[in-house]
């Protein structure tokens, strides 16, 4: 096998997901992941710093991508509507390129350590959205609140997409999550972003 085989990272991710699903996150070692992927333990660390990060590979790019999407979005009237429009487009692109999302979610939901890492990622996404809204001229507190709401709706839409077996249209899931939020917040039905 080539030293820097381009498929190694994918094999590591798949091996980790299999092992975490079979044995539980806490029971799996880096050595087991590496062996299942056909590499050495030492080689594993060329790709990931620990066994947790194999599940979050690429997520470090998400805040910057969402930040740029919000900056580039057409004005939709309110900071929240603008952020949601940007997240709808970004979410469609994201869901078209991710694999094993449902398995990943199940592993994360079963581990307090991984849930904490997921919250850290969520906080970075929220901050990036808020910063972009502020750069667009929204007052800082309003930008932060709109970002928190938009990120929460985005997360709920992503969960709906996963619950639909990754077959639903993400934009439709985001519209449904937005409508649910508005109904919950205002008590009204039938309002749209």
């Amino acid at each position: 096998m080539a030293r820097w085989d381009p498929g190694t990272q994918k094999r590591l991710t798949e091996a980790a997901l299999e092992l975490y699903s079979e044995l539980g996150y806490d029971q799996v070692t880096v050595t087991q992941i590496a062996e299942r992927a056909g590499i050495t333990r030492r080689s594993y660390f060329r790709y990931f710093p620990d066994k947790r990060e194999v599940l979050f590979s690429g997520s470090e790019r998400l805040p910057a991508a969402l930040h740029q999407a919000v900056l580039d979005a057409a004005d939709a009237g309110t900071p929240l509507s603008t952020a949601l429009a940007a997240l709808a487009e970004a979410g469609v692109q994201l869901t078209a390129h991710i694999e094993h999302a449902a398995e990943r979610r199940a592993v994360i939901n079963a581990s307090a350590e991984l849930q904490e890492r997921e919250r850290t990622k969520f906080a970075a996404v929220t901050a990036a959205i808020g910063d972009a809204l502020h750069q667009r001229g929204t007052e800082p507190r309003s930008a932060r609140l709109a970002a928190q709401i938009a990120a929460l709706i985005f997360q709920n839409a992503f969960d709906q997409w996963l619950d639909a077996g990754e077959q639903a249209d993400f934009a439709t899931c985001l519209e449904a999550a937005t409508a649910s939020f508005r109904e919950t917040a205002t008590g009204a039905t039938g309002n749209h972003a």
Side-chain angles (χ1 to χ4, degrees), residues 107-128:
V107 170
I108 290 170
N109 287 344
S111 168
E113 178 184 343
L114 295 175
Q115 289 173 28
E116 180 59 33
R117 175 63 176 85
E118 186 80 347
R119 283 189 291 273
T120 300
K121 182 182 86 172
F122 184 73
V125 163
T126 303

Side-chain angles (χ1 to χ4, degrees), residues 33-73:
I33 298 168
E35 287 175 357
R36 184 160 295 189
I39 66 169
T40 66
R41 174 184 163 84
R42 184 175 176 181
S43 293
Y44 176 93
F45 292 108
R46 292 183 183 139
Y47 297 91
F48 302 105
D50 57 39
K51 73 176 192 173
R52 179 182 63 180
E53 290 306 311
V54 70
L55 292 172
F56 296 94
S57 177
S59 67
E60 70 280 356
R61 295 187 306 263
L62 186 59
L66 294 179
H67 181 270
Q68 192 62 49
V70 172
L71 285 179
D72 294 344

Side-chain angles (χ1 to χ4, degrees), residues 160 168-177:
Q160 287 180 29
D169 175 64
F170 182 79
T172 301
C173 292
L174 188 71
E175 287 176 23

